[in-house]
Amino acid sequence: MSDGLPLLEVDSLVKDFPLKGGRGVLHAVNSVSFVQRRGETLGIVGESGCGKSTLGRTIVQLLPPTSGSVRLLGKELTILPSEALRRMRRHMQMIFQDPYASLDPRMTVASLIAEPMVIHDIGTAAERASEVARLLDTVGLPPEAARRYPHEFSGGQRQRICIARALALHPEFIVADEPVSALDVSIQSQILNLLNALKRDRGLTYLFISHNLAVVKYIADTVAVMYLGRIVEMGAAEDLYADPKHPYTRSLIAAIPRMEPGSAADAPLPGGDLPNPESPPSGCAFHPRCAHATEICRTTAPAMTEHGPRKHVVFCHLHR
């Protein structure tokens, strides 16, 4: 459960990528702001290409932001010198989508998990070996896994290794970037249950990135919906799923597969593809795909409006 105190504060965060030949910039993250409380799981959802993974990598400073502010545990990350930022990485870690690609195939599991402790000069060799054994047990892997190599494990087991490595420095904050999307459906629930158990036992705070709204509904306390680099709706998970405000959010939720025979989507799915972020539409970026768009949607970016007692916010002219 969240204790209500802010752990992460993101303000007007922008990440642009320059295009070849000086043709301009690609707007990957466009003025994103939110506050995340300690102990909270914030789900970031949206279609592929909406900027959610870039947002996660920019928050932990794997990508330098173009502008804006990121404060973790009260420290402004964007201005920290390299050595101070390295020390802050003890407090923030990342779990990547493809566990095999994020593990060095030439290193044993013991070396992979111990590497963050070696980099940060934590413990003796014996103490690190003991901590590796504890971490393997925590994520549900046997002690003999320490002597093996990544290729000897299944996808779900490799993701457990990545989770163990992320826990090695006892961080408070973890960005999980599509951590189950590369896994079989039968394994996804196991990893999600593990993440929930670790959150409960270690007081972790997650930024959980996914295109799968069913997965996010299961794990998130709060959900932010991204479209073309911007957050278009954000609120408590139960509020957002029960009463989505933005037409894009309603379309995404309507597209979640349902088990009930004869169930049908209650909102039209957006037509066409995500617009080119190199030249985003004017006004509301969603208007070319929105069945409810009016003239003001085409010309004027919507301001934020707030709904309900739990600050369910939406950027949409339909809710002015």
Side-chain angles (χ1 to χ4, degrees):
M1 295 291 291
S2 166
D3 61 11
L5 298 175
L7 180 131
L8 175 68
E9 299 166 271
V10 177
D11 185 26
S12 303
L13 189 65
V14 173
K15 179 57 184 177
D16 295 334
F17 293 99
L19 299 174
K20 292 181 179 179
R23 295 184 292 110
V25 297
L26 185 151
H27 306 283
V29 175
N30 197 342
S31 194
V32 167
S33 300
F34 62 86
V35 174
Q36 186 172 358
R37 296 167 295 171
R38 187 185 297 270
E40 177 184 49
T41 297
L42 171 59
I44 305 289
V45 300
E47 294 171 283
S48 296
C50 72
K52 55 189 185 296
S53 291
T54 301
L55 172 63
R57 290 168 184 250
T58 305
I59 286 172
V60 298
Q61 307 300 296
L62 291 181
L63 295 172
T66 302
S67 62
S69 169
V70 179
R71 294 180 65 84
L72 182 71
L73 297 167
K75 293 187 180 293
E76 178 58 57
L77 301 183
T78 62
I79 60 173
L80 286 181
S82 58
E83 179 56 30
L85 181 60
R86 188 182 74 86
R87 291 194 298 269
M88 277 299 294
R89 295 202 182 282
R90 294 186 61 167
H91 303 282
M92 57 181 182
Q93 290 292 303
M94 191 158 183
I95 303 168
F96 296 93
Q97 176 178 355
D98 185 346
Y100 192 62
S102 61
L103 297 172
D104 189 333
R106 299 166 298 180
M107 297 175 68
T108 65
V109 167
S111 298
L112 287 164
I113 297 175
E115 186 178 31
M117 293 180 271
V118 173
I119 292 172
H120 288 269
D121 196 24
I122 297 173
T124 63
E127 289 169 339
R128 290 194 289 266
S130 178
E131 180 64 10
V132 167
R134 281 194 292 269
L135 288 168
L136 286 173
D137 181 66
T138 297
V139 299
L141 291 174
E144 57 268 23
R147 300 188 297 270
R148 296 161 62 188
Y149 290 84
H151 73 271
E152 299 179 69
F153 296 89
S154 67
Q157 290 172 324
R158 284 195 288 262
Q159 195 60 288
R160 290 174 186 269
I161 295 167
C162 291
I163 293 169
R165 185 176 59 177
L167 296 174
L169 298 177
H170 301 278
E172 291 96 331
F173 176 65
I174 292 179
V175 174
D177 186 8
E178 300 271 13
V180 299
S181 65
L183 306 178
D184 293 340
V185 174
S186 60
I187 305 300
Q188 290 184 7
S189 62
Q190 297 177 21
I191 298 300
L192 293 173
N193 288 335
L194 172 61
L195 290 172
N196 273 334
L198 291 170
K199 173 187 172 181
R200 180 188 66 241
D201 297 342
R202 293 176 173 244
L204 294 172
T205 303
Y206 293 133
L207 186 76
F208 189 94
I209 298 167
S210 179
H211 67 279
N212 188 328
L213 271 78
V215 167
V216 170
K217 184 179 183 180
Y218 179 77
I219 198 169
D221 304 303
T222 304
V223 177
V225 181
M226 281 190 74
Y227 186 80
L228 212 64
R230 294 180 180 271
I231 290 177
V232 297
E233 185 167 2
M234 183 172 178
E238 57 186 298
D239 296 343
L240 188 138
Y241 281 87
D243 186 22
K245 303 293 184 184
H246 199 282
Y248 180 58
T249 308
R250 294 203 297 267
S251 297
L252 292 177
I253 292 175
I256 297 175
R258 291 166 170 78
M259 297 299 293
E260 300 84 358
S263 62
D266 56 7
L269 298 178
D273 297 323
L274 199 69
N276 187 343
E278 296 177 17
S279 54
S282 59
C284 172
F286 187 61
H287 85 257
R289 305 172 70 190
C290 182
H292 307 284
T294 63
E295 186 58 32
I296 191 173
C297 303
R298 300 180 181 92
T299 59
T300 306
M304 183 185 78
T305 57
E306 198 171 292
H307 300 266
R310 293 198 284 187
K311 296 187 177 180
H312 183 163
V313 300
V314 61
F315 295 79
C316 180
H317 291 297
L318 296 175
H319 299 279
R320 287 177 293 171

